[in-house]
Amino acid sequence: MIATMERYFTVVEAGAVSGVTAKAVHNIIDKRLIALEGRPAPERVAKPAKGAARVARKELTGEDLVRISIWYLAARELAPDARRLLVKAMDEQPHAKVLPAGEFLKFDVQAVRREVERRIRVLTKGDALVHRDRDILGGEPVFKGTRIPVHGVADMLKAGAERDDLLSGYPALTPDMLEIAPLWAQTHPRRGRPRKSGDPTRKSSRRLSVKPDPLAAKAGDA
C-alpha cells in the first residue's frame, strides 16, 4: 500500500475521490452494502448544542475508497450480489490486477486503484497548497502565494473555461492548481448560502473568455 492510501477520509472526501456523491457513500455505510475497513456502521452522533462547531469525523480508508469505486462502477453490468462477490474477491486477492466479474466479464481493479490513488494525491496536494487568511479576500480559501480563490477556479472550470485560457489569464496559476481546484472545492463546500445570481457554474452556450488576473493588480491591497 502506497503512502497516499495510509490516511482516513470523511464521507465527503470519500465521495469526491471515489467519483460518487456523499449521499451514495452514506448509503453504503448505512445499509452495509459492502464490508469497509473504517467504521462500517457509525453510531448516530447527537445534534451538537447551538453554536457548537461540527467536527468532520475521519471514517474511511483508502482501500474503502477503492471498494466504493468498484461497487458503483460495476453497477451497470452486475447485480448487487455479483458486485459483493467482486469486492470480496478483491479483498481475498489484494494484488490481483484483474478479477472475474460474473461468468463472462473481467474487471480491471488495477486501473480503479490507480485512479483512486491519483485523486488522493491531488487532494493531499490541495491540503498543502490551499490556505485561508482573513486579510486576503476576507478569508476565502486561496492558493498559497496568490490571491486566487480556489472555488472561483473550480467554478470557471465547471462553467467550461479552457485550461489554457485560465493559465494565460492568471499567471500565478499552475497546471497542478487547476487539477486541485475542482476536487478540493468539492471536499470543502463554500460556507453560507449558495449564490443566487451571477453563478459562474451556470451553463452557457458561448465560450468563456478569461481576462487577465484582476487580483494580481491589487496584490498591494492585501
Side-chain angles (χ1 to χ4, degrees):
M1 182 184 297
I2 63 176
T4 54
M5 302 286 276
E6 296 176 351
R7 58 170 281 189
Y8 289 90
F9 303 86
T10 64
V11 168
V12 174
E13 290 172 337
V17 172
S18 302
V20 300
T21 64
K23 183 178 179 180
V25 178
H26 275 299
N27 189 51
I28 282 182
I29 294 173
D30 293 342
K31 296 183 179 179
R32 302 190 185 191
L33 297 178
I34 54 178
L36 299 174
E37 291 181 352
R39 295 192 304 116
E43 296 179 0
R44 297 293 182 183
V45 180
K47 186 176 180 179
K50 186 176 181 179
R54 289 180 178 272
V55 178
R57 303 188 67 176
K58 304 288 183 179
E59 298 179 353
L60 304 169
T61 68
E63 289 300 317
D64 287 335
L65 273 52
V66 175
R67 295 181 180 92
I68 292 169
S69 295
I70 288 175
W71 175 260
Y72 283 104
L73 285 172
R76 291 184 179 181
E77 304 293 339
L78 300 176
D81 287 345
R83 281 185 279 162
R84 288 189 186 92
L85 290 175
L86 175 60
V87 174
K88 183 179 179 181
M90 187 194 81
D91 292 338
E92 294 173 346
Q93 304 175 56
H95 302 295
K97 297 180 180 180
V98 178
L99 289 171
E103 188 175 356
F104 303 106
L105 299 175
K106 290 186 178 181
F107 200 91
D108 192 342
V109 177
Q110 185 180 47
V112 176
R113 185 182 299 279
R114 284 177 175 173
E115 177 60 14
V116 168
E117 291 173 348
R118 184 192 70 79
R119 292 172 73 84
I120 290 175
R121 285 194 294 270
V122 171
L123 185 61
T124 303
K125 280 184 183 179
D127 291 339
L129 287 179
V130 177
H131 78 139
R132 294 182 176 90
D133 186 329
R134 291 183 179 180
D135 294 331
I136 300 177
L137 301 183
E140 184 170 350
V142 298
F143 289 108
K144 288 181 179 178
T146 78
R147 291 171 56 86
I148 301 175
V150 181
H151 287 102
V153 175
D155 288 343
M156 287 188 285
L157 288 170
K158 187 175 180 180
E162 298 288 341
R163 294 171 64 90
D164 288 343
D165 288 345
L166 289 174
L167 290 172
S168 61
Y170 294 81
L173 270 179
T174 66
D176 274 353
M177 291 175 183
L178 290 181
E179 185 177 33
I180 288 167
L183 188 62
W184 196 92
Q186 187 178 350
T187 57
H188 299 78
R190 277 192 178 97
R191 297 171 181 174
R193 296 180 179 179
R195 299 177 181 180
K196 292 184 178 180
S197 62
D199 184 356
T201 65
R202 185 173 56 189
K203 292 183 179 179
S204 172
S205 58
R206 64 183 178 84
R207 187 182 176 200
L208 295 178
S209 60
V210 180
K211 298 179 181 179
D213 184 0
L215 299 178
K218 299 180 181 180
D221 298 336

